[in-house]
Amino acid sequence: MSENTHNEPYKVQEEQRSYKYIPTLLEKSIVHDTSLENKKVQSKNVTSIPEQYIRSSIEDFPNVSEFEIVRHYTNLSKLNFSIDEGFYPLGSCTMKYNPKINDWAANLPGFRDIHPYAAEKTVQGALELMYLLQESLTHISGLKACSLHPAAGAQGELVGVKMIAKYHQQNNQTHKDTVLVPDSAHGTNPASAALCGLKVREIKTGTKGYIEYAQVEEAMGDDVAAIMTTVPNTLGIFEKDIVKISKLMHDNGALVYGDGANLNALVGKASFGAMGVDVMHINLHKTFSTPHGGGGPGAGPVVVSDRLKDYLPSPFVNKNDQGEYHLDYSTPYSVGQYRAFYGNFGMLVRALCYIYAFGHEHLAKISEYSVLNANYIRKALEPYFHLPYETDTLHEVVFSDQKQRKKYDVNTMDIAKRLMDYGYHPPTVYFPLIVEGALMMEPTESESKRTLDRYIETMIKIAQECENEAQTVKSAPHKTGIKRLNETQAARKPVLTWSKKD
């Protein structure tokens, strides 16, 4: 594991300070012919599909020309929406700026074509890249050690809670079987705790939108293993008592989990180590440019305090005295390995590119612009939409449909669908659950004032439509390839294969 062994701010070396360094790393990873070796591995693992599951023909399957099939799939592709096509104000799930040059770097042959069974001496560049990313994330978070192993944010969260559970087990504190989770938490928080066999005790969010210390103190007990916090929380509000809460946990032998989903608001600005966080997962796609759409691939590295560095999942990358990089499996109380090999490597390349493009001196700009953009939207839309919490917010803002629902019978889903008619991806809806009819917007740091102004104008126009022609909003979308779906049926009974009746 890489450790933050000093208190000096992380400095990118001069020779590493540009994209030019990525090909330098590449040259250290030798592309070599593994075809014979690969074929042996593949032939060993591939088994035949049982004959009864293979259909030789499909009744009434359409017989079409090449032109028709190409046009069919081309037209389908035009129905997709992506960050390259339009603004994506998806709150609490940042759709980051994904520089195309990062895709180029991830696709360099020396990175793209290496095999996970390649000898370490032939992939020193790839291992050095992983080592540098471990160091970067450790310093950015202000924590002690890092493992890039988890394949996604949710898996990083599961691994983090596993570490907490094993820490208590190792210290003969098996009676600590309860996790405190705020009611504003991401749904994965209580799910991760439950998957680890822990109980969940809910903490109510205070009237100002953050956890009140007295509530945590009241819920505290000898059975508490940890608290799971998100800073800033899912309302975009900073947890102002986080240091006091962390001290309360540590004084009672409990640990602090930090959900890193909202790191975009604080990167380069705040130290999670100083807040008292013991383990935190970092969604690379939310803070360091990796594409997010389509469900992956992702990367959810975990960073930990001194208390948990001996419990990290393995392997991680280490460096010996001769400056050679190698995979290290020596963590004494490791919670084990949760996926094949070493993480989704292409995501790691993109993340390091993004971090090095800013450099330590400019990382804070990410947070500053994301907070500025979110508050620009907040102030512009406050006269038109209900704001349930007036406390200052950081990188995102949560409105509700209260004004439109009570006066015009138009709800959040109607507004979201109407936005699609104007060429925008809808914001996050109905989350967090503590806000009835929530509309959560997160513009990120990468959108221009012109884009924000157009979005604001559209939201104001929809607010006016709710007042003057509500039926147009309630029956939206009108300009998309598919009209309004039965959301429940689409989620619970998806049609994934073609058949005659379809």
Side-chain angles (χ1 to χ4, degrees), residues 40-105:
K40 285 178 183 173
V41 172
Q42 287 169 12
S43 61
K44 194 189 304 181
N45 294 334
V46 173
T47 56
S48 298
I49 299 172
E51 196 170 335
Q52 65 266 32
Y53 296 123
I54 301 174
R55 40 184 188 182
S56 57
S57 63
I58 304 174
E59 189 182 355
D60 291 331
F61 195 74
N63 186 7
V64 296
S65 69
E66 179 181 329
F67 262 146
E68 290 170 310
I69 196 72
V70 168
R71 286 167 184 165
H72 171 72
Y73 283 108
T74 301
N75 286 328
L76 278 183
S77 72
K78 290 179 181 175
L79 298 178
N80 286 336
F81 188 90
S82 72
I83 195 74
D84 291 338
E85 190 179 3
F87 182 41
Y88 219 117
L90 200 60
S92 204
C93 210
T94 314
M95 293 302 294
K96 287 280 294 196
Y97 170 48
N98 300 318
K100 301 307 175 196
I101 195 170
N102 293 357
D103 294 338
W104 164 82

Side-chain angles (χ1 to χ4, degrees), residues 266-325:
L266 296 178
V267 62
K269 302 293 283 188
S271 165
F272 286 82
M275 292 181 207
V277 168
D278 291 298
V279 54
M280 172 183 185
H281 75 269
I282 297 175
N283 302 62
L284 294 186
H285 58 272
K286 290 185 178 180
T287 313
F288 301 116
S289 95
T290 303
H292 179 34
V302 283
V303 283
V304 297
S305 68
D306 248 338
R307 293 181 182 87
L308 291 178
K309 66 185 177 66
D310 289 340
Y311 298 82
L312 279 170
S314 59
F316 43 84
V317 180
N318 222 331
K319 184 167 68 168
N320 64 22
D321 294 339
Q322 289 73 47
E324 297 166 340
Y325 298 90

Side-chain angles (χ1 to χ4, degrees), residues 484-495:
R484 193 174 295 209
L485 297 173
N486 180 325
E487 302 282 341
T488 305
Q489 188 171 344
R492 295 183 180 174
K493 295 182 180 179
V495 179

Side-chain angles (χ1 to χ4, degrees), residues 119-183:
E120 288 178 352
K121 65 181 179 183
T122 68
V123 291
Q124 283 293 297
L127 293 175
E128 183 179 351
L129 183 144
M130 293 170 72
Y131 182 85
L132 292 173
L133 182 58
Q134 287 175 181
E135 283 216 320
S136 299
L137 298 178
T138 303
H139 284 268
I140 287 168
S141 63
L143 289 163
K144 188 69 176 177
C146 172
S147 168
L148 304 174
H149 179 72
Q155 191 182 51
E157 190 179 301
L158 176 67
V159 167
V161 181
K162 285 276 186 188
M163 280 190 273
I164 290 171
K166 191 160 185 179
Y167 170 86
H168 290 306
Q169 186 182 16
Q170 198 68 29
N171 288 282
N172 298 317
Q173 298 186 112
T174 51
H175 60 285
K176 290 190 173 297
D177 61 357
T178 302
V179 176
L180 305 183
V181 181
D183 57 2

Side-chain angles (χ1 to χ4, degrees), residues 386-441:
H386 172 246
L387 189 67
Y389 293 93
E390 293 184 355
T391 306
D392 291 342
T393 46
L394 295 179
H395 66 302
E396 62 191 7
V397 56
V398 178
F399 290 104
S400 86
D401 62 2
Q402 192 178 113
K403 283 185 181 179
Q404 288 72 29
R405 184 161 33 89
K406 286 188 174 177
K407 286 186 177 178
Y408 315 114
D409 192 30
V410 177
N411 62 36
T412 289
M413 187 60 74
D414 301 329
I415 294 167
K417 297 293 185 186
R418 185 59 175 154
L419 260 174
M420 294 165 70
D421 283 336
Y422 288 103
Y424 294 97
H425 191 284
T428 296
V429 295
Y430 299 111
F431 182 81
L433 300 177
I434 56 173
V435 175
E436 188 178 359
L439 271 165
M440 178 192 284
M441 302 167 199

